[in-house]
Amino acid sequence: MTTSASTARRSGRGLTYVVLGWAVAYGGVRLTWTIGVAPEFRQFGSDLLGFTGWWSVALCVAAGAVAVVLDRVPAWWPALAGVAWTVAGALVAAAAVLLPELVGFLLFTVGPYFEPIAFASRLGCVTGAILLALATARYQRRTRGDCAACCRTVSPGTRRSAPARWARWAAYAAVAGLVTRFAAQVVVGFDGLTHDASVIGLEIGLLLAGVLLPLALVHRWGEIWPGWVPLLAGRTIPRLVLLVPGFGLGAGIVAYFGMGMVQLSSGSVSQFSDAFLWVALSSYCLLGLGLVTASSDYHLRTRSACTTCGR
């Protein structure tokens, strides 16, 4: 085994221990709350959605077990990677309420029902999802022959300078999803809408990011500040300015409103008709998926050449 491969192997094992440490710590909290006395959560009755009680404990155990298997298996198993990504996705979905809370912080509209313990618990849950996702990505690099530094498998010289057609369609689909959502609201009217500040902040954030962000991901002015931006015109836009909200908001939207669709299909009661809710929730999910897809192309298109593999 080469020195670089040995170093990468040790780094990967360290990440496995971190995931295990998280599973023990956060899983211990979930176990304590399950068999003992859990805090009272006023807004939803629980800090997590879907995965509560013993299900939340099982999710932590699954994350730790999958991390160990990822470290031990020497070959590429698509099914194993699929299980790992599923567990990571379940952790994000369980903490889906974190999305409106974070948007509320950004817009200074945190509502009166904000609960610090629930917020901290959701952050802990998402932290586990991120750690497991990193472990899964490292497994894929190690077993598929990808570059350990950048995950690239393509040949040199294939980097694109223009957005892919599928990325443009994804961006336009995201905008269409937002437009459809608000059009549906116009049809049913605005009476009876909640006035919770965090939810209002989420709506404002979606309105701002649901049009500007997806279009920026597939147009030149998403890479170079346009002329109408004071002091920054003509300068290169840092990639993270678009990638962080693109991936973060997109994944959060899919998790939050995807869980809403699960609750709707299970017969949850709402003041709105099922038809309206299916349209609204589906539109939001389309927006989130479009953002994640367009962000993926933006990442591939704007990344610099890797100093390790030269690709």
Side-chain angles (χ1 to χ4, degrees), residues 49 85 88-100 102-103 126 129-130 133 174 202 206 209 213 217 242-261 281 284-296:
L49 297 178
W85 286 117
L91 288 168
V92 173
V97 180
L98 193 63
L99 175 64
L102 291 177
V103 173
V126 169
I130 294 173
L202 174 61
L206 289 172
L213 180 57
L217 289 168
L242 269 66
L243 288 179
V244 170
F247 280 120
L249 186 60
I253 289 173
V254 173
Y256 183 71
F257 294 104
M259 287 300 291
M261 295 179 72
L281 296 176
Y284 275 135
C285 287
L286 179 62
L287 167 61
L289 291 172
L291 280 175
V292 171
T293 304
S295 297
S296 300

Side-chain angles (χ1 to χ4, degrees), residues 69-70 73-83 139-140 143-144:
V69 175
L70 290 172
V73 173
W76 167 240
W77 290 1
L80 175 58
V83 170
Y139 163 75
Q140 293 182 176
T143 57
R144 296 192 309 184

Side-chain angles (χ1 to χ4, degrees), residues 269-306:
V269 179
S270 172
Q271 60 185 338
F272 297 105
S273 68
D274 286 353
F276 165 77
L277 290 175
W278 278 115
V279 172
L281 296 176
S282 299
S283 299
Y284 275 135
C285 287
L286 179 62
L287 167 61
L289 291 172
L291 280 175
V292 171
T293 304
S295 297
S296 300
D297 177 77
Y298 184 87
H299 163 65
L300 296 174
R301 192 175 73 252
T302 60
R303 62 185 180 178
S304 57
C306 178

